[in-house]
Amino acid sequence: MIDVQHLHKTYRVRSGGLLRGHTRELQAVRDVSFTVQAGEVVGYLGPNGAGKSTTIKVLTGLLVPDGGAVTVGGLVPWRERRRHVARLGAVFGQRTTLWWDLPVRDSLELLRHVYRVPSARFRENLGRFTDLLDLGPFLDTPARSLSLGQRMRADLAAALLHDPALLFLDEPTVGLDVVARERIREFVGVVNREQGVTVLLTTHDLTDVQRLARRVMIIDHGTLLFDGALATLQERFGGARELQVDYEIPPADPRIAGLDLLHADGARVRYAFAGAAAVPIARVTAHAPVRDLAVLEPDIEATVRRIYEGGLLRPTLP
């Protein structure tokens, strides 16, 4: 679905005033290569200014790169824009495709004509999206009167109205309450599973990534630093896993050889053990009678923060 090879993009930034200013070059993306297969959901992560937005703008055809080869669904995005945009959907958290003063229903009807969606297909999609996203209560409300959560759900419906094969999501849950975030995640999961829509997701809310993506790419300073399974990222950089044990009675000595004791509160004790190691259930149950136990995986947000702050994937810059 997406094939990116040796992508380069440099911006020329002028600073210092009109008369005595100077121009410097800023490499937004440098030698980035990756592929995304049809039906994948991929999280594209990185701090602000890392190169995520530049990559997305190239993939959508908004920017022409300075070097490299890019195809999306077999098309070069900036050369075949009309055919290209007809096959993709995009939702950007800070922008809307809805007409500000029109009811949501009218905006969707206008988009039906823009994308030449047949009437029967439009009615079918609108009915399904109304059920999945609970659009009914605000279909006849102008976009300017919608809450942020309602607008995002309407924008998702607008982005998928024409059955695109590829969906770009940029911060789709930013600023939303818990209920709205969950509804959007469930909807994206459904269209991926049932329709095979390929999804490229950029977000700072890493719960979105955990819920939707099995694969992540991390970019920083314009360089792709990691491309692989989310589980692999956790295993390499997530640190210790935790084992929470509820004993039948508080153990006289909660310490167990080979496990790091983190906290003991009566019969509930938490241990840490190496992320790649097998869960040491036999060792724990042999120590004292156990009522219940749970394995707590490393928090994905803490993992990514550790990568950024510690420079664990820091590129070697020229």
Side-chain angles (χ1 to χ4, degrees):
M1 178 60 73
I2 299 175
D3 186 17
V4 176
Q5 300 299 324
H6 306 294
L7 175 65
H8 288 269
K9 181 63 182 178
T10 300
Y11 296 110
R12 288 160 184 82
V13 181
R14 186 172 179 81
S15 59
L18 182 62
L19 297 178
R20 298 185 178 181
H22 63 278
T23 302
R24 61 187 178 90
E25 291 190 344
L26 174 64
Q27 282 192 291
V29 177
R30 58 182 81 207
D31 200 26
V32 167
S33 298
F34 63 86
T35 60
V36 176
Q37 301 301 318
E40 276 194 283
V41 180
V42 181
Y44 194 37
L45 311 180
N48 291 331
K52 302 188 304 295
S53 294
T54 297
T55 307
I56 297 300
K57 287 176 181 177
V58 169
L59 292 177
T60 55
L62 293 174
L63 280 180
V64 178
D66 298 321
V70 177
T71 58
V72 179
L75 303 178
V76 177
W78 58 93
R79 291 180 186 159
E80 303 167 273
R81 280 198 63 190
R82 186 180 294 273
R83 291 176 60 198
H84 175 59
V85 298
R87 304 191 309 185
L88 64 85
V91 175
F92 299 97
Q94 304 301 325
R95 298 179 181 87
T96 183
T97 55
L98 306 173
W99 279 262
W100 197 239
D101 292 312
L102 291 183
V104 172
R105 189 189 305 275
D106 290 355
S107 287
L108 298 179
E109 179 68 31
L110 281 171
L111 288 169
R112 176 179 82 82
H113 292 285
V114 169
Y115 287 105
R116 296 183 173 88
V117 181
S119 296
R121 189 59 179 162
F122 171 75
R123 289 193 299 271
E124 181 181 344
N125 282 346
L126 180 58
R128 192 158 59 91
F129 296 162
T130 298
D131 290 340
L132 289 171
L133 291 167
D134 193 23
L135 304 179
F138 55 87
L139 269 178
D140 296 306
T141 302
R144 56 180 161 76
S145 300
L146 300 179
S147 69
L148 179 59
Q150 290 171 333
R151 182 178 67 76
M152 289 301 300
R153 282 145 58 194
D155 273 321
L156 263 176
L160 290 162
L161 200 62
H162 56 297
D163 296 319
L166 173 62
L167 177 63
F168 292 103
L169 295 179
D170 182 30
E171 300 289 355
T173 62
V174 63
L176 304 188
D177 60 44
V178 174
V179 174
R181 287 200 302 266
E182 190 60 27
R183 187 176 290 276
I184 285 175
R185 289 167 187 154
E186 289 178 356
F187 176 74
V188 174
V190 167
V191 296
N192 170 252
R193 290 191 305 272
E194 296 185 358
Q195 296 177 229
V197 176
T198 307
V199 181
L200 188 61
L201 168 67
T202 62
T203 180
H204 290 292
D205 186 340
L206 295 175
T207 305
D208 292 345
V209 178
Q210 283 182 300
R211 288 291 308 275
L212 295 170
R214 294 182 180 177
R215 172 186 167 198
V216 294
M217 299 187 295
I218 296 181
I219 187 172
D220 196 10
H221 293 90
T223 301
L224 193 63
L225 306 180
F226 178 88
D227 182 358
L230 181 60
T232 302
L233 186 74
Q234 286 282 61
E235 184 177 314
R236 286 180 59 186
F237 303 106
R241 301 156 78 193
E242 293 184 15
L243 184 64
Q244 179 175 286
V245 182
D246 291 319
Y247 290 103
E248 294 286 356
I249 59 174
D253 183 358
R255 291 173 296 181
I256 300 177
L259 296 178
D260 294 327
L261 177 63
L262 296 177
H263 183 72
D265 182 13
R268 173 165 288 184
V269 182
R270 285 192 299 116
Y271 304 96
F273 64 101
V279 180
I281 295 176
R283 199 181 312 167
V284 173
T285 55
H287 180 68
V290 172
R291 180 165 52 85
D292 193 16
L293 56 82
V295 177
L296 308 178
E297 298 293 340
D299 180 68
I300 180 63
E301 292 199 23
T303 298
V304 174
R305 186 169 58 250
R306 185 181 301 113
I307 291 170
Y308 292 163
E309 293 177 354
L312 304 182
L313 289 170
R314 183 172 293 137
T316 300
L317 299 179

